[in-house]
């Protein structure tokens, strides 16, 4: 069984600083105690003076000073320990009420320091957007930040279980692709394809693949055509003309494909016209858009497509992880460029800075109620885990010197008030009992 870790040390200070505080506390405590002892000596000595008004005044003042000094000594001592070691109720307040004091401190900080008005005031002075803009505009700062983000990418990807990611893609992609916006997205993609002339590359690819198939499968196609001729025209016709018909059919196909190869062929123009017509139908015909959505949804929901998407996820993850580990990889460069662009935008666009500051303020204020509860519990928990003797000593070291002044003031004020009361009461009522 392992030993539990020691409780955290509260209010840390260096050893030299604590020694200095301890010496200051001892010196002031001796001064307060010496003043009280001196007041007691004055009280005892006053009884050796000849009777008279002055002697009575001095005795009354000294008595009040002694009482005030003892009362304040009791009050100060009762904060940290039992006076004279006696278990008097409501003494040793800090050690006995540490948990309650911690809970009260936590509630006070949470409810009176971290208020909505205070958070808004601090954020308005901070101007978070400008701070971020200055940071991201500095290439020397952005480069390590981008590297750190890239290094964290594999951990983020590793936190996503492969099976879960595949299932999520399998559920979301059919819904996204089969939604009402799928047809519009497809129409925009086709429009961009045509405007960039890339549709002709697709056409060339299809023609090239078809020609390659005809060449690779020429023998099988000839045999299939000859067999079809025999089946339709009989064995004699098939034997006489089957092979020739097959060769002529394949030659005609190749010739037609060669004819549509040039860029100004009618078939290419028809292909482009068909695509443009489909774009118009996708944008204007709800039935056509719905049919395309259903087709995409059914295709993406197919198990083979789902397996293919899962393989894409695995390959993408592996590629991202490998590139993120490279300090000069595309991931780091992309992150660096993105952060730099963000810094430029924040530096040059006051409206963007305002939106970011307002967004940060709204987000923090929205989180504030829950954060206040967590902060209160955190402070209470930290105080609760402090060692009682240690925290008592450390608090006393920090406030004890001022509390010794309370003792001194109590002694002196008691002396003065006792003398004034004796003089006033004597003037009103004559002789006052000592």
């Amino acid at each position: 069984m392992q030993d539990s870790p020691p409780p955290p040390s509260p209010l840390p200070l260096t050893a030299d600083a604590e020694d200095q505080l301890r010496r200051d506390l001892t010196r002031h405590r001796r001064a307060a105690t010496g003043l009280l002892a001196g007041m007691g000596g004055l009280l005892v000595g006053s009884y050796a003076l000849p009777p008279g008004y002055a002697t009575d005044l001095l005795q009354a003042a000294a008595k009040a000073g002694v009482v005030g000094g003892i009362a304040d000594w009791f009050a100060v001592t009762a904060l940290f320990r039992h006076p004279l070691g006696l278990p008097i109720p409501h003494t040793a307040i800090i050690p006995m009420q540490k948990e309650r004091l911690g809970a009260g401190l936590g509630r006070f900080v949470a409810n009176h320091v971290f208020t909505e008005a205070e958070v808004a005031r601090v954020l308005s002075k901070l101007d978070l957007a400008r701070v971020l803009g200055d940071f991201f505009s500095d290439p020397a700062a952005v480069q390590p930040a981008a590297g750190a983000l890239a290094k964290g990418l594999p951990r983020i990807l590793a936190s996503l279980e492969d099976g879960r990611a595949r299932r999520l893609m399998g559920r979301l992609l059919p819904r996204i692709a089969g939604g009402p916006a799928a047809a519009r997205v497809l129409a925009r993609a086709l429009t961009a394809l045509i405007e960039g002339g890339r549709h002709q590359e697709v056409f060339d690819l299809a023609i090239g693949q078809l020609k390659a198939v005809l060449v690779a499968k020429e023998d099988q196609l000839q045999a299939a055509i000859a067999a079809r001729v025999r089946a339709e025209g009989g064995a004699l016709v098939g034997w006489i003309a089957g092979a020739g018909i097959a060769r002529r059919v394949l030659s005609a196909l190749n010739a037609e494909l060669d004819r549509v190869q040039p860029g100004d062929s009618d078939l290419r123009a028809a292909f482009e016209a068909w695509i443009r017509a489909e774009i118009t139908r996708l944008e204007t015909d709800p039935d056509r858009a719905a049919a395309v959505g259903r087709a995409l949804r059914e295709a993406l929901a197919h198990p083979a497509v789902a397996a293919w998407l899962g393989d894409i996820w695995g390959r993408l993850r592996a590629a991202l992880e490998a590139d993120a580990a490279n300090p000069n990889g595309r991931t780091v460069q992309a992150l660096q460029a993105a952060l730099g662009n963000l810094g430029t935008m924040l530096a040059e666009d006051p409206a963007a800075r305002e939106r970011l500051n307002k967004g940060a303020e709204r987000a923090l204020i929205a989180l504030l109620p829950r954060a206040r509860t967590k902060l209160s519990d955190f402070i209470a928990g930290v105080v609760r885990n402090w060692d009682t003797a240690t925290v008592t000593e450390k608090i006393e070291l920090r406030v004890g010197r001022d509390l010794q002044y309370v003792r001194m003031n109590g002694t002196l004020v008691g002396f003065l008030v006792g003398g004034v009361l004796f003089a006033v009461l004597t003037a009103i009522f004559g002789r006052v009992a000592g």
Side-chain angles (χ1 to χ4, degrees), residues 120-140:
R121 184 184 67 82
V122 171
L123 287 178
S124 65
K125 290 185 176 181
L126 178 62
D127 193 0
L128 179 62
R130 183 172 293 278
V131 173
L132 291 176
D134 294 341
F135 177 80
F136 292 140
S137 298
D138 183 6

Side-chain angles (χ1 to χ4, degrees), residues 98 163 228 252-253 313 339 350 381 388 412 418:
K98 183 187 68 172
R228 186 65 180 176
L253 285 174
W313 163 250
L339 294 177
T388 302
L412 295 175

Side-chain angles (χ1 to χ4, degrees), residues 84-347:
L84 302 177
L86 301 175
I88 302 172
H90 306 295
T91 59
I93 294 173
I94 291 177
M96 300 296 292
Q97 302 293 330
K98 183 187 68 172
E99 292 190 14
R100 185 171 63 85
L101 292 174
L105 176 63
R107 287 193 298 270
F108 175 81
V109 172
N111 297 325
H112 297 283
V113 176
F114 286 87
T115 62
E116 293 184 2
E118 190 66 18
V119 169
R121 184 184 67 82
V122 171
L123 287 178
S124 65
K125 290 185 176 181
L126 178 62
D127 193 0
L128 179 62
R130 183 172 293 278
V131 173
L132 291 176
D134 294 341
F135 177 80
F136 292 140
S137 298
D138 183 6
V142 168
Q143 185 173 5
L149 289 173
K151 288 181 180 178
L153 184 60
R155 290 193 295 271
I156 296 174
L157 294 175
S159 66
L160 296 173
E161 298 178 7
D162 286 353
R164 184 181 304 173
R166 289 191 178 97
R167 289 193 297 272
L168 182 62
M169 290 176 64
R171 287 196 301 268
L172 290 181
L173 285 179
R175 296 180 183 177
I176 296 173
R184 293 193 297 271
V185 173
L186 180 59
R188 293 193 189 101
L190 292 175
T191 301
L193 195 70
I194 290 179
E195 290 177 353
R198 306 301 296 271
H199 65 297
Q200 297 296 348
E201 296 180 13
V202 175
F203 188 84
D204 288 336
L205 178 62
I207 295 298
Q209 290 297 316
L210 183 56
K211 292 176 70 174
V213 169
L214 289 177
V215 172
K217 303 292 184 180
E218 184 175 359
D219 293 339
Q220 293 92 326
L221 289 173
Q222 285 185 0
I225 295 173
R228 186 65 180 176
V229 171
R230 284 195 301 270
E232 295 293 334
L236 180 61
V237 174
W239 178 74
I240 296 174
I245 293 174
R247 285 193 299 272
R248 285 195 293 274
V249 168
L250 291 178
S251 297
L253 285 174
N254 285 316
E256 188 64 27
L257 291 176
D258 291 336
R259 192 171 63 83
V260 301
Q261 191 75 26
D264 58 350
S265 68
D266 294 338
L267 190 57
R268 285 181 180 273
F271 176 66
E272 181 172 335
W274 174 77
I275 293 179
R276 292 187 182 278
E278 283 299 315
I279 292 174
T280 302
R281 291 184 64 188
L282 289 173
E283 292 177 339
T284 59
D285 187 353
D287 294 335
R288 182 64 171 175
V292 170
R294 285 194 302 271
L296 290 174
R297 187 164 57 250
E298 291 172 359
L300 291 174
H302 193 277
V305 177
W308 175 68
L309 292 175
D311 182 66
I312 289 178
W313 163 250
R315 293 173 183 271
L316 178 62
R317 172 181 167 180
L320 287 174
E321 289 179 348
D323 188 69
N326 182 7
N328 299 318
R330 294 182 179 179
T331 302
V332 175
Q333 295 175 3
L335 288 173
Q336 188 173 350
L339 294 177
N341 291 336
L342 177 60
T344 302
M345 181 187 69
L346 292 176

Side-chain angles (χ1 to χ4, degrees), residues 23-67:
R23 288 192 294 270
D24 290 345
L25 176 58
T26 300
R27 184 171 64 253
H28 286 80
R29 184 181 286 158
R30 288 174 179 172
T33 302
L35 180 60
L36 177 59
M39 191 63 66
L42 181 62
L43 174 60
V44 173
S46 67
Y47 282 92
L49 298 175
Y53 179 81
T55 300
D56 292 341
L57 177 64
L58 181 60
Q59 288 178 355
K63 288 177 183 178
V66 170
V67 171

